Amino acid sequence: MLQYFIVPIFDLPAAPNVTVLLIGRIGDLLVSTAFLRALRRARPQARIRLVVPNSSEETARLVPWVDEILLLERAPQKFLSHLKLLRSLRTPCDLLLDLNPSFSRRSAALAALIPAQVKVSFRKGRWDRVFSHQIASPGEREPMLERYARLAKSFGIAYEPRLEIRLEPTHEEEARRILEETRPRESAFKIAVHPGNFKKFDNRWPEEKFVELTNLLAEHFGVQLFYMAGPGEEKPVSGIVSRLAAPVPILSPRPIGVTGAWMREMDLCVLNITGTTHLAAALGVPTFGFYSGYTDAVWRPSSPIHHGVVSQSWQSCRDIPVAAAYAGIKALLP
């Protein structure tokens, strides 16, 4: 059993002004929603300010427990945007929380600039003096949700390891319209396939295996298949679909709220472990994923509706056989 250092209990004011830093990808923000909900419920009168990269803006707008969202531009030429952000962050707060479990130079620099009575982070071994309080570094196999559980415990607040976002009615309406255009079969078991995460080779199940698996699933009369592509993924996803034995519709990149609402119309999402996995978890959509030892230990959603195959490799999922994936999904079919 994993053991971690006992963490101190930090006093949290009744109505604190809180600045939360999360300089990561969309999946990182989605996983943090369990902690943000716990913080809001513990201090309903708090004013919570969330700082995220501009690439996470759409996702941040779906998180109902924050009062203000500040965006950090990546491009160095966005000098005026950086200046405006820094001016906003100069407003003193009672508590600053760096939710990045690993070191982020930008996050640490922002933490140094923001005036706060208490500054809390995970111990990272770099720039630790910026913070007034720290909790133990994450263990190599410690799940992300348990890392945030330890952080919640350090404040003595109740924590539930469940991701959550809130969609708008317009997202639901647009998703239904898009789905109707593909003529869904009412009684079919609908499977969405997302072969994304093309920037991370070891976290991406091979494209030829997706082709073989999809062709096998297409042989089941009661199954209706769909593919989905994230931003910048249209070409590689189209390339996979073009090699299938029968045509399959593709959901092109949409706003994340619409994508999430469309996924909720599915009975199962088959995917690589990426932000889409955590979007499904935040909306209660069942998944079947391809896990390396690392992603299984650290990033796998906690609910039993999330299935998958785990590679014997710690770093890569690419060796998972098609037969193992097909057997796992077939067991989930009605």
Side-chain angles (χ1 to χ4, degrees):
M1 176 177 291
L2 295 172
Q3 294 183 343
Y4 304 98
F5 295 108
I6 297 174
V7 297
I9 299 297
F10 307 124
D11 290 329
L12 195 60
N17 287 309
V18 183
T19 298
V20 178
L21 305 177
L22 189 49
I23 313 303
R25 303 176 71 183
I26 288 173
D28 302 316
L29 175 55
L30 288 166
V31 172
S32 77
T33 57
F35 177 82
L36 293 171
R37 182 182 59 243
L39 180 61
R40 169 59 73 202
R41 288 178 175 175
R43 294 294 185 270
Q45 301 304 315
R47 177 163 182 80
I48 302 175
R49 179 173 59 178
L50 177 64
V51 183
V52 294
N54 62 336
S55 57
S56 296
E57 179 179 7
E58 284 185 9
T59 308
R61 302 291 177 197
L62 303 178
V63 179
W65 303 287
V66 299
D67 301 289
E68 182 182 4
I69 298 168
L70 297 178
L71 303 175
L72 180 63
E73 299 277 359
R74 283 189 176 273
Q77 63 267 30
K78 300 287 187 178
F79 175 76
L80 291 178
S81 296
H82 284 298
L83 186 60
K84 182 179 179 181
L85 173 65
L86 292 175
R87 285 176 177 171
S88 299
L89 290 175
R90 292 302 296 170
T91 305
C93 59
D94 300 298
L95 172 66
L96 178 139
L97 286 171
D98 180 2
L99 293 189
N100 297 277
S102 8
F103 176 72
S104 162
R105 187 181 300 275
R106 291 194 301 163
S107 185
L110 287 172
L113 291 169
I114 297 170
Q117 295 179 23
V118 176
K119 299 183 180 183
V120 180
S121 78
F122 293 92
R123 192 176 303 130
K124 303 170 187 178
R126 300 174 65 185
W127 291 40
D128 285 342
R129 292 183 181 180
V130 167
F131 301 93
S132 62
H133 298 77
Q134 290 187 303
I135 65 172
S137 303
E140 183 184 33
R141 293 178 177 271
E142 184 182 20
M144 288 297 301
L145 288 172
E146 290 188 16
R147 300 178 190 192
Y148 289 134
R150 286 197 293 121
L151 183 60
K153 184 179 179 181
S154 71
F155 289 100
I157 61 179
Y159 174 83
E160 180 187 2
R162 177 176 57 84
L163 282 55
E164 184 180 358
I165 56 174
R166 304 276 176 84
L167 303 182
E168 299 291 337
T170 53
H171 298 146
E172 306 281 0
E173 294 167 7
E174 178 67 5
R176 284 193 292 268
R177 184 192 65 77
I178 294 168
L179 185 61
E180 286 301 319
E181 290 178 352
T182 61
R183 299 181 179 179
R185 301 198 306 271
E186 186 174 344
S187 61
F189 188 88
K190 299 177 182 61
I191 299 178
V193 182
H194 182 213
N197 214 355
F198 289 96
K199 293 182 180 179
K200 293 189 176 182
F201 181 81
D202 285 327
N203 288 356
R204 189 176 81 242
W205 205 46
E207 287 83 345
E208 62 273 14
K209 292 186 177 181
F210 272 107
V211 171
E212 186 178 348
L213 175 63
T214 306
N215 286 337
L216 288 170
L217 292 172
E219 295 176 359
H220 290 263
F221 177 76
V223 168
Q224 186 169 13
L225 291 158
F226 305 83
Y227 262 70
M228 54 189 299
E233 296 177 348
E234 301 95 319
K235 185 174 180 180
V237 171
S238 295
I240 294 171
V241 171
S242 69
R243 294 156 60 188
L244 298 177
V248 171
I250 301 174
L251 175 71
S252 59
R254 307 280 176 165
I256 191 166
V258 176
T259 299
W262 183 86
M263 289 170 62
R264 283 214 292 211
E265 299 290 332
M266 300 292 116
D267 297 294
L268 182 68
C269 288
V270 176
L271 33 70
N272 289 319
I273 309 310
T274 182
T276 314
T277 308
H278 306 302
L279 178 59
L283 295 170
V285 179
T287 66
F288 187 95
F290 305 97
Y291 293 90
S292 66
Y294 167 73
T295 54
D296 179 59
V298 177
W299 291 102
R300 187 165 184 158
S302 59
S303 169
I305 68 171
H306 300 293
H307 311 271
V309 186
V310 183
S311 168
Q312 296 189 15
S313 166
W314 175 251
Q315 295 182 329
S316 176
C317 69
R318 297 184 66 83
D319 64 345
I320 293 173
V322 172
Y326 177 62
I329 297 173
K330 187 177 178 182
L332 301 175
L333 299 180

